[in-house]
Amino acid sequence: MTENTQTPSSPNSELPTTYAPAEVEGKLYERWVERGYFEADAKSEKPAYTIVIPPPNVTGSLHLGHAFQHTLMDALTRRKRMQGYESLWLPGMDHAGIATQNKVEQQLAEEGKSRHDLGREEFTDRVWKWKEEYGGKILGQMRRLGDGVDWSRERFTMDEGLSKAVQTIFKRLYDDELIYRAERIINWCPRCLTAISDIEVEYQDDAGELVSIRYGEGEDSLVVATTRAETMLGDTAVAVHPDDERYAHLIGKQIKLPLTDRTIPVVADTHVDPEFGTGAVKVTPAHDPNDFAIGQRHDLQSLTVMDEHGVITVHGPFLGLDRFEARSAIVGALREQGRIVAEKRPYMHSVGHCSRCKTTVEPRLSMQWWVKVGPLAQAAGDAVRDGRVKIHPEDMSKRYFDWVDNMHDWCISRQLWWGHRIPIWYGPEGQVVCVGPDEQPPTGEGWTQDADVLDTWFSSGLWPFSTLGWPERTPDLEKFYATDVLLTGHDIIFFWVARMMMFGLYAMDGVAPFHTIALTGLVRDEFGKKMSKSNPNAVDPLDWMDKYGSDAVRFTLAKGANPGADVPIGEDWVQASSKFANKIWNATRFALMNGATIEGELPPVERLSATDRWILSRLNKTVAQVDAYYEDYQFSKLSEALYHFAWDEVFDWYVELSKTTFFAGGEQAQVSGRVLGEVVDVMLRLLHPIVPFVTETLWTTLTGGESLVIADWPKDSGFRDEAAEAEIASVQSVITEVRRFRKEQGLQDGQKVPARLDLGATALGAHEAAIRQLLRLQPEGDSFSATATLPVAGGTVALDLSGTIDVAAERKRLTKDLGAAEKEKQQAEAKLGNEAFIAKAPDNVVDKIKGRLAKAEADITRLQAQLDGLPAA
């Protein structure tokens, strides 16, 4: 309990009339942390349950995607803790190499400096200072959301322990010949000045140009088409298909490369599609991955014609031009020579961009470090195929296999200064030495360490075990590895999931890093559009938390979480969730004011009313249903189940049906008070993992208990009473039917109407007082005149509407509606009786017409009964 006025210290304390989240949430969260509720004990004999948080970037702030996944992870760990597990949700941050270095370089630029002015050591010191001052903003925002993480185990991918893990696994992979250095084509960002991996390249359709250029002279000429004319300066061949008769006479010959003093060969390669374009392609091995492969097969020279900034480095007239300036200049020069055969502008084509700075990526031949992923990816695929790791939902497995079964070797070196520096030393005689974490690097004149750092995903790929103390066999590692579930978006299967699988299986002797991969969709706006900072639909979840409370944001996100599916969210939905939190608050206040208690055992069944037995039966079914949904990661369904149980069954029905009992007082009121206390107690426990703040406040008031965080999770007692459920269903049917009739007559909700209830010999008679109260039905009286008689479950309800409705007008209205219903029935019957139509119509269309028929028949019965119940004209 907090010391806030909204969390009273005893079950007899009175709750404020309204719930104010801002006055509760912050203090309550700090109380949980101070009491150590979220800290896991490696020495505990309880079974372990572990989730490691996908480490957010140190540069980041909480966005709706974070809030979404954090809500689900928090719900899982809170529930498991309540179930008696030693529940660990481990937090931390990623050093985010490129993003963080960019932040500090921007600061330096404002000072008129670059990182080179400072030098490597001073620059990295500056980054660490930036991290301490500005980084980790998201950690405080996670507290706002209510993340029940073990802050005592917070990790950072550049801390000492994780750095040792990185160096250890690099050394092992290197010694096992799974890390190597080679010159290959990589994706190069001329803005970030580093290599980036395939999955860090975002493709979009850009408006460019397609130019067709004639190479060679006379009969010894051919035409190639390109969108990147500037790379022709590095061409070392033209390739054609070996079976293309158009070029058979040229294969093996040398032709003149325009704008240069070089000749290049025509080579035959099956990679060329003779049906595409002219069937001839220019080959630039140093600036295109496909061309590089052709160059390897035909032993072609690789000529680099651009530097790391994308500036041309060869051929006088174009020397020093930016790649895009050079493109225009080269096309102009070719046009002057009459070598442009065709030009198409604009030409829409897919172009790769750096995912961080959006600069157009340049394929570039470069010496880099690589991971040989073949055996690692094979193991990652096998772990899912043989059932050691399950992917949920199962249909997402295909995306996983599409990636791991077709993975290319991974370029892990980055030309940055912020990150884990590659532990390779080069000697004066060409020596190459890989240094492990407990080894001394070579010393002496001429020895230098590799200047590059490792890809950020290299260290985050170790996250599930490095955060637990690996490579040491720590108590944490023994207790909490393998983790139980990885809950993350399907969009980072390639970035993170596959890498953790590869490294976990390799480092941990074939034990996968998690038992289940639960994939979520992405959060979108209420119209299903992707949220983006550049669009007006981007939402800061903290704004919604300030306005509606964290519980409302959490419940909205959980309610939209269908496995693997995207999650639309709008402010109206958060507002509705806020109303739900207030409904819980108000109904619990009512319960407390009317004797709800958890003291003592539940009364024996024979002392319970049918309403009491009904709600207890529904309560236990809800517990079982919620448990089943949790085990299947069906957050949307469990949230819906809890919403409807709490709002509809507990608040709208049980509380309302029991009001006459509570108002009457006596022994039965005490029995129902104990039942209501039980129901609210269990309901708050079930809701707590998703809406922790309001439930904690209410539960500690109701029970006087210490905290829901460490309370027991409810268990299904097995109690079922189908007869009571059927009885209350009949009561609900009566009330619903009469309410609908009242609404149709235009009666106000509070308007009282004389009525005679003829409920026959059914059990409904026992509920007459509650039915009358809920429907505002007065006793008949001496002057009672039944102007309308409604057939209801088990009997009739006669109403005296004299003076409240125009009988003639009502008869006219009902007759019109009855005619429309009969016409609808005839049309539906005609279609269903048409064999030709039935034979051709899809099943869903036929089912829809059958539904229309059933509704029309029900409307006819209802309307006819209402007409029969009206007094004679």
Side-chain angles (χ1 to χ4, degrees):
M1 297 176 294
T2 75
E3 289 150 355
N4 188 282
T5 56
Q6 294 205 5
T7 49
S9 57
S10 76
N12 297 318
S13 300
E14 185 176 326
L15 288 167
T17 54
T18 58
Y19 177 54
E23 296 179 18
V24 172
E25 294 177 348
K27 293 180 181 179
L28 196 53
Y29 184 83
E30 291 309 316
R31 186 79 165 211
W32 290 334
V33 173
E34 288 169 10
R35 292 190 172 187
Y37 292 152
F38 304 138
E39 293 180 15
D41 182 1
K43 297 178 182 178
S44 169
E45 295 183 0
K46 296 178 183 178
Y49 184 81
T50 316
I51 296 179
V52 291
I53 201 167
N57 286 355
V58 67
T59 60
S61 59
L62 190 76
H63 56 63
L64 271 174
H66 290 130
F68 170 54
Q69 292 177 358
H70 287 206
T71 294
L72 306 187
M73 286 184 277
D74 195 30
L76 290 172
T77 49
R78 284 178 181 268
R79 172 175 173 263
K80 285 295 183 180
R81 187 179 293 111
M82 294 173 74
Q83 286 184 313
Y85 287 79
E86 197 62 35
S87 189
L88 170 62
W89 186 20
L90 193 149
M93 292 183 299
D94 191 284
H95 65 277
I98 296 177
T100 308
Q101 179 158 320
N102 281 348
K103 288 280 188 184
V104 179
E105 288 195 276
Q106 288 168 12
Q107 279 190 344
L108 290 174
E110 292 172 2
E111 300 170 15
K113 298 178 183 177
S114 75
R115 58 175 162 138
H116 299 286
D117 294 323
L118 274 64
R120 185 168 194 142
E121 185 175 346
E122 188 177 342
F123 176 78
T124 53
D125 286 344
R126 178 79 174 250
V127 180
W128 277 107
K129 288 177 183 176
W130 181 93
K131 184 257 182 186
E132 295 304 320
E133 186 173 354
Y134 301 105
K137 174 183 176 183
I138 192 171
L139 299 179
Q141 296 167 338
M142 287 162 55
R143 291 173 178 260
R144 283 288 313 278
L145 187 65
D147 283 8
V149 296
D150 186 347
W151 292 110
S152 70
R153 285 179 166 82
E154 181 190 335
R155 304 304 300 268
F156 179 55
T157 51
M158 288 278 286
D159 68 29
E160 184 178 350
L162 269 63
S163 294
K164 181 178 181 180
V166 168
Q167 204 171 347
T168 299
I169 201 162
F170 188 99
K171 171 73 171 173
R172 291 187 186 180
L173 289 164
Y174 182 84
D175 290 345
D176 288 343
E177 298 183 348
L178 293 173
I179 283 182
Y180 64 95
R181 193 173 187 234
E183 192 174 43
R184 301 265 186 88
I185 291 285
I186 48 92
N187 302 298
W188 181 264
C189 176
R191 160 62 183 79
C192 298
L193 296 179
T194 181
I196 58 176
S197 65
D198 291 344
I199 53 180
E200 293 170 299
V201 178
E202 294 178 348
Y203 288 90
Q204 66 184 46
D205 285 341
D206 286 357
E209 60 182 353
L210 180 68
V211 293
S212 299
I213 310 167
R214 182 172 298 281
Y215 284 24
E217 306 293 344
E219 293 184 359
D220 290 346
S221 69
L222 40 66
V223 175
V224 300
T226 182
T227 58
R228 303 177 68 225
E230 69 278 9
T231 64
M232 68 167 291
L233 301 176
D235 286 358
T236 54
V238 173
V240 298
H241 194 277
D243 298 331
D244 193 334
E245 295 181 359
R246 293 172 295 176
Y247 304 117
H249 67 290
L250 289 176
I251 295 174
K253 286 188 175 182
Q254 296 280 327
I255 61 172
K256 182 74 165 53
L257 178 65
L259 304 183
T260 74
D261 57 2
R262 293 192 291 119
T263 60
I264 57 176
V266 178
V267 299
D269 196 283
T270 55
H271 171 76
V272 180
D273 180 1
E275 303 298 323
F276 183 77
T278 64
V281 297
K282 58 190 289 298
V283 181
T284 321
H287 292 278
D288 183 274
N290 294 321
D291 292 4
F292 179 78
I294 293 174
Q296 293 286 93
R297 289 192 289 272
H298 297 277
D299 197 24
L300 299 175
Q301 185 181 6
S302 295
L303 297 178
T304 300
V305 297
M306 276 180 253
D307 66 13
E308 64 269 24
H309 298 280
V311 173
I312 301 298
T313 58
V314 298
H315 205 72
F318 313 109
L319 183 66
L321 292 181
D322 172 80
R323 52 186 168 156
F324 300 119
E325 295 172 336
R327 181 178 299 173
S328 298
I330 286 171
V331 170
L334 290 167
R335 191 182 296 113
E336 288 180 8
Q337 292 187 5
R339 289 192 173 275
I340 299 295
V341 176
E343 298 180 65
K344 184 175 182 180
R345 295 188 188 86
Y347 177 72
M348 301 303 296
H349 63 131
S350 182
V351 177
H353 296 261
C354 174
S355 61
R356 290 177 179 84
C357 70
K358 311 308 176 189
T359 300
T360 300
V361 167
E362 189 64 41
R364 189 168 189 262
L365 186 63
S366 181
M367 183 69 76
Q368 302 283 346
W369 286 95
W370 305 80
V371 171
K372 186 185 295 183
V373 300
L376 302 174
Q378 176 70 43
D382 290 346
V384 175
R385 288 188 176 93
D386 63 24
R388 280 176 287 158
V389 177
K390 298 190 182 303
I391 293 180
H392 186 87
E394 191 175 351
D395 59 10
M396 284 282 180
S397 298
K398 183 180 183 302
R399 296 187 67 176
Y400 176 80
F401 290 130
D402 283 348
W403 179 250
V404 298
D405 292 346
N406 299 286
M407 195 182 295
H408 300 297
D409 283 1
W410 172 19
C411 176
I412 56 171
S413 45
R414 298 291 182 267
Q415 289 64 56
L416 304 170
W417 287 356
W418 172 245
H420 295 282
R421 195 164 175 182
I422 290 175
I424 294 287
W425 269 257
Y426 304 106
E429 305 299 327
Q431 306 99 313
V432 179
V433 176
C434 181
V435 177
D438 300 318
E439 300 171 352
Q440 289 297 320
T443 58
E445 187 175 347
W447 283 94
T448 58
Q449 186 178 359
D450 195 296
D452 290 349
V453 301
L454 289 163
D455 178 10
T456 295
W457 296 102
F458 190 94
S459 51
S460 59
L462 315 181
W463 191 252
F465 52 94
S466 64
T467 52
L468 296 172
W470 187 92
E472 308 301 328
R473 300 301 298 191
T474 63
D476 276 2
L477 194 66
E478 296 289 345
K479 178 73 175 179
F480 297 113
Y481 187 89
T483 68
D484 286 84
V485 60
L486 170 70
L487 191 144
T488 191
H490 60 64
D491 57 322
I492 61 170
I493 290 178
F494 323 119
F495 284 95
W496 193 44
V497 179
R499 282 156 170 67
M500 286 190 292
M501 284 287 284
M502 291 191 303
F503 282 166
L505 289 160
Y506 174 79
M508 297 301 295
D509 302 321
V511 179
F514 16 75
H515 303 305
T516 301
I517 302 169
L519 297 171
T520 70
L522 308 179
V523 178
R524 297 183 178 273
D525 71 12
E526 58 193 303
F527 306 107
K529 294 181 180 178
K530 183 178 179 180
M531 287 189 178
S532 170
K533 291 181 180 178
S534 59
N535 292 334
N537 66 353
V539 172
D540 185 343
L542 296 171
D543 292 341
W544 282 350
M545 289 184 213
D546 290 340
K547 196 171 182 180
Y548 302 108
S550 298
D551 283 335
V553 174
R554 290 170 62 112
F555 192 74
T556 306
L557 291 165
K559 203 175 179 186
N562 289 301
D566 288 347
V567 184
I569 184 172
E571 186 169 0
D572 288 349
W573 305 342
V574 182
Q575 188 175 27
S577 295
S578 175
K579 290 179 180 177
F580 178 53
N582 287 324
K583 182 78 170 180
I584 298 170
W585 182 270
N586 292 330
T588 303
R589 284 187 70 249
F590 171 86
L592 288 167
M593 290 188 294
N594 286 275
T597 179
I598 63 163
E599 294 185 10
E601 297 293 324
L602 275 172
V605 174
E606 57 269 18
R607 293 182 59 195
L608 303 178
S609 69
T611 309
D612 293 335
R613 298 195 308 275
W614 163 73
I615 197 61
L616 290 174
S617 182
R618 291 297 309 133
L619 176 68
N620 280 285
K621 285 184 178 179
T622 301
V623 171
Q625 190 177 41
V626 168
D627 277 337
Y629 287 145
Y630 262 116
E631 296 306 314
D632 199 34
Y633 303 99
Q634 297 278 359
F635 294 97
S636 177
K637 290 182 178 179
L638 74 88
S639 300
E640 287 284 354
L642 287 170
Y643 178 89
H644 289 297
F645 175 72
W647 193 303
D648 298 341
E649 296 183 310
V650 178
F651 305 149
D652 279 359
W653 285 110
Y654 180 73
V655 168
E656 294 299 322
L657 288 171
S658 300
K659 278 183 177 178
T660 53
T661 300
F662 290 130
F663 294 160
E667 182 181 347
Q668 192 56 50
Q670 292 179 351
V671 169
S672 292
R674 178 64 186 88
V675 170
L676 180 56
E678 181 76 10
V679 171
V680 173
D681 173 19
V682 173
M683 178 194 74
L684 293 173
R685 292 172 194 255
L686 291 173
L687 282 164
H688 176 72
I690 296 175
V691 285
F693 294 108
V694 67
T695 52
E696 173 86 339
T697 308
L698 294 171
W699 186 85
T700 52
T701 304
L702 171 70
T703 68
E706 181 181 344
S707 174
L708 260 179
V709 179
I710 54 173
D712 291 336
W713 181 254
K715 292 181 180 177
D716 174 12
S717 71
F719 178 79
R720 301 289 189 275
D721 194 326
E722 302 300 336
E725 290 198 39
E727 183 175 325
I728 300 304
S730 296
V731 174
Q732 291 171 326
S733 174
V734 171
I735 293 170
T736 300
E737 186 63 33
V738 177
R739 278 177 173 165
R740 180 168 62 181
F741 180 76
R742 287 178 59 108
K743 186 175 182 180
E744 289 171 348
Q745 307 310 311
L747 299 177
Q748 298 298 315
D749 290 342
Q751 188 173 351
K752 295 182 178 180
V753 177
R756 179 174 64 240
L757 275 62
D758 181 6
L759 302 177
T762 67
L764 284 172
H767 301 279
E768 181 170 336
I771 291 172
R772 282 186 177 276
Q773 179 176 325
L774 291 176
L775 291 173
R776 305 294 190 270
L777 301 180
Q778 293 179 314
E780 303 167 40
D782 295 335
S783 60
F784 180 80
S785 173
T787 59
T789 303
L790 302 178
V792 294
T796 59
V797 174
L799 303 171
D800 184 354
L801 302 177
S802 56
T804 61
I805 64 168
D806 183 331
V807 174
E810 180 62 13
R811 183 177 296 280
K812 182 177 180 182
R813 184 186 71 81
L814 290 172
T815 301
K816 179 181 178 182
D817 290 349
L818 180 62
E822 288 172 338
K823 182 178 180 181
E824 174 74 3
K825 178 186 175 185
Q826 291 170 1
Q827 291 175 342
E829 286 177 335
K831 286 189 176 181
L832 293 173
N834 185 334
E835 294 182 2
F837 171 78
I838 294 296
K840 294 180 180 179
D843 290 344
N844 65 318
V845 173
V846 175
D847 290 342
K848 188 175 181 180
I849 294 171
K850 288 180 179 178
R852 285 169 49 194
L853 176 60
K855 182 178 183 303
E857 290 174 339
D859 287 344
I860 290 169
T861 301
R862 175 176 57 81
L863 293 165
Q864 188 62 60
Q866 290 180 14
L867 275 168
D868 293 343
L870 290 175

